Amino acid sequence: MEAFQSRKTWAEINLEAIGHNISQMKQKLPAATNIMAVVKADGYGHGSVPVAKAAIKAGVSALAVALLEEAIVLRQASIDVPILVLGWVAPEDAPVAAAYNITLTAFQTEWLERVETLQMDGTVRIHMKLDTGMGRIGMRHEQEIQSFFAVLKDCPHIQLTGVFTHFATADAADLMYFHQQEKCFEQMLAYVRRNWSTPLTVHVGNSAASIRFPEQMHNYIRFGISMYGLYPSKYVKAEKQIDLQPAFSLHSRLVHVKKVAAGSSISYGGTYIAKQDEWIGTIPIGYGDGWQRRMQGFEVLVSGKRMPIVGRVCMDQTMIKLDQPYEIGTKVTLIGRQNNACIEMDEVADYLGTINYEVPCLISKRVPRIYV
Ligand SMILES: *Cc1c(COP(=O)(O)O)cnc(C)c1O
């Protein structure tokens, strides 16, 4: 049963857009390169289970998440494709991963040793992570790989099935560091292949690398932000190498409309004073929904026109200045398209001084996701 919902504020998730973005990406990739859909952080705030199911329908053959618990949520929703956890998981939890047939990321010899001390049914699959310049997690030197293999060969409960790295600047204007990382990875991969004989799945590319260098993506790409219809950066966007459709839009409805006299003060702190008689509308969304206080002064769409946010954004409500009286219940779009007008995620991100990735993650669980 759907949770009871009285408030008319919602995020609309267009699953057809997810399918469109995947097929656009597929067209660019060689036939031998598969797509792993990245649905960490509840599918970048879009909802991991519906997005994962739509992505599988659109032809992706694996999923990636950041946490083991995120992977279990997918398994419990009857999703049975391979799932890779990209982040560090405590070795004590490897038996749980094994039980759910979830692949973990490993890069520490002590992790391997600890896992082998545990009671485990069957084996846990791992992909080894190489740090070629991201500086986050992974092995940075051949020596480390050598020690890793030396321990791993005596680990009957751990099965190495893949190797990967992550780029720090694949979305940048200057690709020098990216190419340096690429070269470093190829060298380390050659070392891995010389010293380990079982077949390994190889993957390197996030959205930016995959869109820019689709021919160099090995067995899989890890397709995140652009699956959701957003460009990894303004540089990638400007290159127009792929046509994406944003899946996320954010809407509310007017709950109150009033005419205020010139000189009237709006919201906490009285930071907005009406310069003339003005129509002011109230919408039931605020920073308690992740619509941040800093959005004061930004705009929303009503009847296909931009209207300014006036006064402070409250926890649960926001006021907007209207060009005329509108009926209670009139739709207000905060992110996305309305008639021929559009407020792009990138515009909201710029206003907040952040990147598009962060914005749908900020929109809290209090805002229901409606799938269309
Ligand atoms: C989040 C993440 C991705 C996806 O990156 P996008 O830029 O969203 O495509 C890929 N790989 C790793 C290791 C990640 O953490």
Side-chain angles (χ1 to χ4, degrees):
M1 208 182 79
E2 294 269 311
F4 173 72
Q5 194 211 330
S6 166
R7 182 173 67 148
K8 305 291 185 282
T9 290
W10 72 101
E12 203 167 283
I13 312 300
N14 184 342
L15 297 176
E16 274 176 29
I18 301 273
H20 168 88
N21 300 327
I22 289 167
S23 70
Q24 290 295 304
M25 191 65 237
K26 268 182 163 235
Q27 282 175 31
K28 293 180 66 72
L29 291 171
T33 305
N34 294 301
I35 299 179
M36 191 186 294
V38 183
V39 294
K40 64 194 183 193
D42 201 15
Y44 292 40
H46 294 58
S48 67
V49 169
V51 168
K53 287 185 173 172
I56 291 164
K57 225 168 109 188
V60 315
S61 46
L63 300 169
V65 292
L67 319 177
L68 180 56
E69 41 273 54
E70 292 175 339
I72 292 171
V73 166
L74 299 170
R75 283 282 180 261
Q76 288 174 339
S78 306
I79 292 171
D80 57 10
V81 302
I83 304 176
L84 173 65
V85 178
L86 299 167
W88 185 87
V89 171
E92 290 70 27
D93 295 326
V96 179
Y100 280 100
N101 192 18
I102 291 162
T103 307
L104 299 180
T105 291
F107 46 90
Q108 296 154 329
T109 54
E110 36 315 357
W111 189 92
L112 302 173
E113 287 160 354
R114 180 78 186 101
V115 169
E116 276 303 324
T117 66
L118 304 169
Q119 274 295 335
M120 187 161 31
D121 296 326
T123 61
V124 62
R125 264 192 277 275
I126 60 164
H127 284 196
M128 59 188 276
K129 181 78 185 275
L130 304 181
D131 180 4
T132 57
M134 175 68 186
R136 192 164 62 180
I137 54 173
M139 291 176 272
R140 299 169 67 90
H141 308 285
E142 289 183 357
Q143 224 125 62
E144 282 175 86
I145 302 174
Q146 187 182 34
S147 322
F148 191 82
F149 284 160
V151 174
L152 185 62
K153 67 175 175 33
D154 299 321
C155 291
H157 297 96
I158 304 174
Q159 190 191 353
L160 177 66
T161 58
V163 52
F164 72 111
T165 194
H166 189 51
F167 295 119
T169 63
D171 62 344
D174 180 352
L175 285 166
M176 195 184 75
Y177 193 76
F178 167 80
H179 290 303
Q180 211 171 297
Q181 272 198 269
E182 245 189 340
K183 202 169 144 205
C184 175
F185 182 74
E186 295 307 326
Q187 280 169 4
M188 287 172 95
L189 182 61
Y191 180 86
V192 166
R193 292 207 200 276
R194 282 199 302 277
N195 291 277
W196 195 261
S197 57
T198 64
L200 299 175
T201 299
V202 179
H203 48 100
V204 294
N206 53 7
S207 297
S210 311
I211 292 167
R212 288 174 138 180
F213 304 99
E215 306 289 334
Q216 296 159 46
M217 292 296 108
H218 296 276
N219 303 120
Y220 272 96
I221 65 162
R222 300 187 304 271
F223 199 36
I225 195 70
S226 296
M227 177 176 70
Y228 302 94
L230 303 171
Y231 292 87
S233 70
K234 63 180 182 191
Y235 307 108
V236 178
K237 192 176 188 175
E239 288 164 6
K240 293 189 190 296
Q241 299 204 47
I242 189 166
D243 167 65
L244 300 174
Q245 289 175 8
F248 188 102
S249 59
L250 180 64
H251 312 273
S252 188
R253 292 189 186 278
L254 288 171
V255 295
H256 188 48
V257 176
K258 61 183 176 284
K259 192 175 204 177
V260 303
S264 300
S265 159
I266 303 293
S267 198
Y268 289 117
T271 61
Y272 181 80
I273 307 289
K275 288 173 202 68
Q276 52 211 358
D277 293 1
E278 290 173 1
W279 289 100
I280 300 291
T282 303
I283 49 175
I285 184 170
Y287 64 79
D289 300 293
W291 188 252
Q292 300 209 345
R293 275 176 100 245
R294 271 182 299 161
M295 294 314 291
Q296 178 170 358
F298 193 66
E299 292 170 326
V300 300
L301 297 174
V302 181
S303 189
K305 287 176 281 187
R306 285 179 176 249
M307 312 282 169
I309 294 170
V310 294
R312 293 224 171 110
V313 170
C314 310
M315 190 182 288
D316 321 292
Q317 303 177 78
T318 295
M319 274 63 80
I320 58 180
K321 184 178 145 187
L322 302 169
D323 60 341
Q324 61 184 73
Y326 291 91
E327 277 183 36
I328 304 296
T330 299
K331 186 174 173 181
V332 178
T333 294
L334 298 97
I335 302 171
R337 198 158 268 297
Q338 202 183 80
N339 305 339
N340 288 321
C342 185
I343 292 178
E344 287 189 18
M345 190 75 81
D346 289 346
E347 202 184 333
V348 176
D350 281 348
Y351 195 82
L352 286 172
T354 183
I355 54 172
N356 53 22
Y357 291 69
E358 192 174 4
V359 178
C361 289
L362 283 170
I363 302 303
S364 73
K365 289 278 120 52
R366 193 162 75 154
V367 177
R369 271 63 171 170
I370 307 296
Y371 298 91
V372 297

